[in-house]
Amino acid sequence: MPQARQLAETPILTATVPRQFVHRAAVAETFLTGWKETGTDRFAVAAQWPRAHGLHVSHDRSAYEPLLVVETVRQSGTLIAHTEYDVPLGHHFVLQEFEVDTSPAHLAVGPVPAEPVVDVHFVEVRRRAGRPAGARYTAEVLLDGARVATARVAFTCVAEAVYRRLRGGRTPATVTVPPAPPGLPPRVVGRALPGDVVLAPTEREDRWRLRIDTAHPVFFDHPLDHAPGMLLLESARQAAWARTPGGGTPSSFRSVFHRYAELDEPVWIEACADAGATLRVVARQGELTVFECLVDTAQE
């Protein structure tokens, strides 16, 4: 009889969660790989971070950007809302608050992709007609057992028909976006490529125009009818770089989203010193405030 072949060990396979659960069009922008319930309203979400990324890894590939933590936490909440609280796919999520504290010293890129775990706790779920209409959750991001970030998030979610009424007929197809003005030099805002700069200079050193490039593959991973929250957070990050050159890496963000930032009207970003080393960044459109963020930096 022929000798039986020795079976090779089956490798552990890693795949991302369905991209629709995290509101991404590109698999490459989907960072979550699984989840499980760990207690009442508590979940462990597994993720994988790439060693190279056009936006979320430093240009020298030595460090993960704190806003990668933000995106991972955002995706975690969206995933759990869909899979564990029955928010239908197709509902729109609207950020209200996002607070995060990261430890850049623990965000070094290693020899293999990092695989953080996000401990998510939904502390409040608001319902309307039996469906979740919004929630608050906290998150603790662990990497190799060490805590690298904590976050607190609040959002609302609405059905497509309700969202369309709220938006007054605005859709990605009906909104005309003016050309983005030239940006600041990339090195001034901690970026390597001109296409990743989201601030355009004005006559003031503490005020910029938001550059809205709907062709950007990360901020506009799919067509949108408003400026996404991650773009506004990036504007706060870049404002902190511009106002505190050499002063450390922006690492903590305490943001409030007041209203939609429209694509076809100028958005102005202003920054001023708050208490201590904290920078207050405000986004305005016309006479209205659309976004506020307190940014702290980790000293090198």
Side-chain angles (χ1 to χ4, degrees):
M1 295 179 61
Q3 185 176 4
R5 290 181 302 169
Q6 183 177 1
L7 296 177
E9 291 187 5
T10 302
I12 298 175
L13 304 179
T14 297
T16 64
V17 302
R19 54 193 170 86
Q20 293 86 350
F21 284 157
V22 298
H23 297 186
R24 282 302 183 200
V27 173
E29 296 302 321
T30 303
F31 300 123
L32 308 186
T33 59
W35 76 98
K36 65 179 180 180
E37 184 177 17
T38 58
T40 303
D41 296 316
R42 291 182 178 271
F43 310 89
V45 179
Q48 186 182 83
W49 290 341
R51 296 172 63 205
H53 188 277
L55 197 71
H56 292 316
V57 175
S58 62
H59 61 85
D60 63 358
R61 298 182 182 176
S62 66
Y64 293 110
E65 283 277 348
L67 287 188
L68 175 58
V69 176
V70 172
E71 175 62 13
T72 304
V73 170
R74 182 202 68 78
Q75 290 190 14
S76 297
T78 304
L79 169 74
I80 297 303
H82 282 309
T83 59
E84 300 291 339
Y85 293 97
D86 300 322
V87 176
L89 291 174
H91 272 45
H92 292 259
F93 285 53
V94 182
L95 277 176
Q96 295 178 308
E97 300 173 17
F98 206 123
E99 299 183 3
V100 63
D101 297 297
T102 70
S103 300
H106 295 102
L107 293 177
V109 174
V112 296
E115 296 194 338
V117 173
V118 186
D119 287 336
V120 177
H121 180 201
F122 271 65
V123 296
E124 177 187 352
V125 179
R126 302 183 302 281
R127 297 183 180 273
R128 184 180 301 115
R131 294 279 192 186
R136 290 180 178 271
Y137 65 95
T138 63
E140 186 175 74
V141 183
L142 303 174
L143 189 56
D144 297 327
R147 187 175 69 184
V148 300
T150 58
R152 297 152 297 282
V153 187
F155 66 89
T156 59
C157 46
V158 296
E160 172 71 15
V162 175
Y163 179 79
R164 287 295 153 219
R165 288 198 297 272
L166 290 173
R167 297 297 290 133
R170 284 178 174 266
T171 69
T174 62
V175 175
T176 301
V177 185
L184 293 169
R187 59 177 176 76
V188 172
V189 295
R191 286 300 180 197
L193 300 176
D196 291 333
V197 176
V198 304
L199 300 181
T202 68
E203 70 284 354
R204 288 169 41 185
E205 293 185 351
D206 60 352
R207 187 173 190 260
W208 310 269
R209 181 172 173 176
L210 182 67
R211 299 185 71 246
I212 298 176
D213 175 11
T214 56
H216 195 282
V218 178
F219 298 126
F220 291 88
D221 163 78
H222 54 280
L224 294 170
D225 59 23
H226 62 278
M230 288 300 295
L231 176 59
L232 295 172
L233 281 164
E234 177 65 20
S235 75
R237 173 202 169 279
Q238 293 192 15
W241 269 92
R243 292 299 293 165
T244 55
T249 301
S251 58
S252 296
F253 302 83
R254 288 167 173 77
S255 54
V256 179
F257 300 84
H258 295 288
R259 63 190 73 247
Y260 297 105
E262 306 298 351
L263 300 178
D264 54 357
E265 302 173 23
V267 178
W268 303 99
I269 308 298
E270 300 176 0
C272 65
D274 202 76
T278 301
L279 192 74
R280 177 182 295 273
V281 180
V282 179
R284 293 189 172 90
Q285 195 160 51
E287 299 299 319
L288 301 175
T289 298
V290 298
F291 167 76
E292 294 180 86
C293 187
L294 296 178
V295 185
D296 284 307
T297 58
Q299 299 301 313
E300 303 295 344

